[in-house]
Amino acid sequence: MKKTIVAFGLLFILVLACKKESTILEPISSQELPQTTPSTLKKENLAESIVRTETDLILNLKSADTEKANQLYDIFRAKMDTLVKQINIREEFLTDNYYSIFYDEKNKKNTVPDAIKAKMKFFEMAGLEISEVGEGFVEIRKKPYYFYNLFKNYVSEDYKEYLKLEAEDNAELFQADAEIIVSLEEVTHRTLKWEQFLNRFPKSRQFKNARKTYGDYLYAFLVGYDNTPVITDDRKSIYPENQKEFDKVIAEYPETVTAKMIAFLYKMLAKSYDNNLNDAIGKEQQQYLTGK
């Protein structure tokens, strides 16, 4: 088995409460930021639109209280996601042919062709980067710490923590080619830190997003990916390196959902569960996360 699963270190003790939680408010009007419509997307430089929208946002943030800053983030994030999606559609030729476009055959190295240097400059100004996503594909996305750096001094503690955790994750690719490509310790760390967030901020407007992220990591932690499985091919045991990490979690964080799900996995294996074990784990996990 390839011994490459996730990289951050088990340094979190899960906290059950936090004094500062954001109050849920009705969203403010999206008129506080420039409107983006299909017609404007077709007519303008999308990277320029991002820069302009960011400039207007910063002006609004300077006079915003914490809760208004949270709402400004929600609106801004939705707009940025739309713009980045449109950029990826518009730049499909660039992303589909990234390696052939940027590879200088003569000098045997990657370089930015003169024809698209201006485009790449706009991307840089807009906080965009071209990121590998595995299997020879790339995408255009916001830089990992873009949202955190922009909002960290204005939003509530739960939003700040959410953006920090998201940025840390985005800084290192988790999986590619059906394989987890970070260390096993990092998989554990990501799983536990998102459970910690859910325990600390149960009333956060980011709770639903964080729960999905935690669920994705927890499932990967328990069963792995096709090319980095946790359970042996005969479905009777767990690979030693995973077993070691599981036992450490149970010993150090016995009250966590993560530990309880590991115990469930052990129980299923001890019963020589013959049906689809992954499905059973998925259903049990769903019960813990949503009560359904």
Side-chain angles (χ1 to χ4, degrees):
M1 172 186 172
K2 299 181 180 178
K3 195 175 179 181
T4 49
I5 303 190
V6 179
F8 270 22
L10 258 191
L11 298 177
F12 281 85
I13 297 177
L14 298 179
V15 183
L16 298 178
C18 179
K19 295 180 181 179
K20 296 183 180 179
E21 296 170 355
S22 66
T23 304
I24 298 178
L25 302 176
E26 291 298 319
I28 58 177
S29 170
S30 61
Q31 295 295 329
E32 298 201 36
L33 293 175
Q35 295 298 298
T36 302
T37 65
S39 60
T40 59
L41 288 174
K42 293 178 181 178
K43 295 177 181 178
E44 64 185 348
N45 181 303
L46 298 181
E48 287 181 344
S49 180
I50 288 177
V51 173
R52 187 180 66 255
T53 304
E54 179 186 318
T55 300
D56 291 332
L57 167 76
I58 292 172
L59 292 175
N60 280 301
L61 281 174
K62 288 180 179 179
S63 61
D65 60 22
T66 299
E67 294 303 336
K68 187 175 181 181
N70 289 352
Q71 295 168 4
L72 284 170
Y73 164 78
D74 291 338
I75 295 169
F76 182 77
R77 181 62 179 263
K79 290 180 179 295
M80 290 300 101
D81 288 348
T82 297
L83 285 167
V84 172
K85 181 178 179 180
Q86 291 292 328
I87 289 173
N88 274 285
I89 292 172
R90 185 175 292 184
E91 300 294 346
E92 185 176 4
F93 180 83
L94 174 63
T95 54
D96 285 352
N97 299 279
Y98 174 76
Y99 294 103
S100 60
I101 291 174
F102 282 79
Y103 187 70
D104 184 344
E105 183 66 34
K106 181 178 179 180
N107 296 309
K108 304 297 181 184
K109 65 178 182 178
N110 288 331
T111 185
V112 179
D114 292 339
I116 61 171
K117 282 185 176 179
K119 182 192 299 290
M120 299 308 295
K121 183 178 180 180
F122 273 120
F123 283 0
E124 178 69 24
M125 291 172 58
L128 298 170
E129 67 176 12
I130 298 177
S131 175
E132 295 186 21
V133 294
E135 299 182 349
F137 293 100
V138 300
E139 67 177 4
I140 299 166
R141 67 169 191 174
K142 280 293 187 180
K143 293 181 178 180
Y145 282 84
Y146 174 82
F147 292 107
Y148 174 73
N149 289 335
L150 194 56
F151 286 93
K152 65 181 179 180
N153 295 325
Y154 302 99
V155 294
S156 61
E157 184 179 354
D158 61 311
Y159 269 61
K160 181 178 179 179
E161 182 67 10
Y162 176 85
L163 293 174
K164 179 183 177 183
L165 298 183
E166 181 185 58
E168 290 172 353
D169 289 358
N170 289 339
E172 183 177 13
L173 187 63
F174 181 75
Q175 67 86 24
D177 305 332
E179 175 183 349
I180 297 174
I181 58 174
V182 294
S183 73
L184 182 52
E185 291 77 14
E186 174 67 5
V187 178
T188 305
H189 173 67
R190 292 192 189 193
T191 304
L192 289 174
K193 75 177 183 180
W194 283 106
E195 183 173 353
Q196 180 193 40
F197 179 92
L198 297 177
N199 288 329
R200 290 181 64 193
F201 305 109
K203 295 182 180 180
S204 174
R205 286 203 299 268
Q206 296 302 324
F207 184 88
K208 185 176 180 180
N209 292 333
R211 184 175 63 187
K212 182 182 183 307
T213 301
Y214 169 61
D216 290 343
Y217 281 132
L218 177 59
Y219 189 77
F221 179 58
L222 294 169
V223 303
Y225 278 52
D226 288 348
N227 292 329
T228 46
V230 171
I231 303 166
T232 57
D233 291 342
D234 60 11
R235 312 301 284 172
K236 293 182 179 180
S237 61
I238 298 169
Y239 286 105
E241 57 267 37
N242 299 92
Q243 180 84 55
K244 180 180 178 181
E245 200 68 18
F246 285 173
D247 290 346
K248 184 168 64 174
V249 171
I250 289 176
E252 296 182 14
Y253 310 100
E255 299 303 316
T256 63
V257 169
T258 303
K260 292 173 183 177
M261 283 301 305
I262 294 170
F264 176 79
L265 172 58
Y266 286 172
K267 179 181 177 181
M268 291 294 99
L269 289 174
K271 291 170 60 177
S272 298
Y273 189 76
D274 294 329
N275 295 321
N276 193 319
L277 181 58
N278 289 9
D279 284 350
I281 292 171
K283 289 178 181 178
E284 184 74 6
Q285 175 177 309
Q286 183 74 4
Q287 179 68 31
Y288 271 115
L289 294 181
T290 66
K292 297 179 181 178

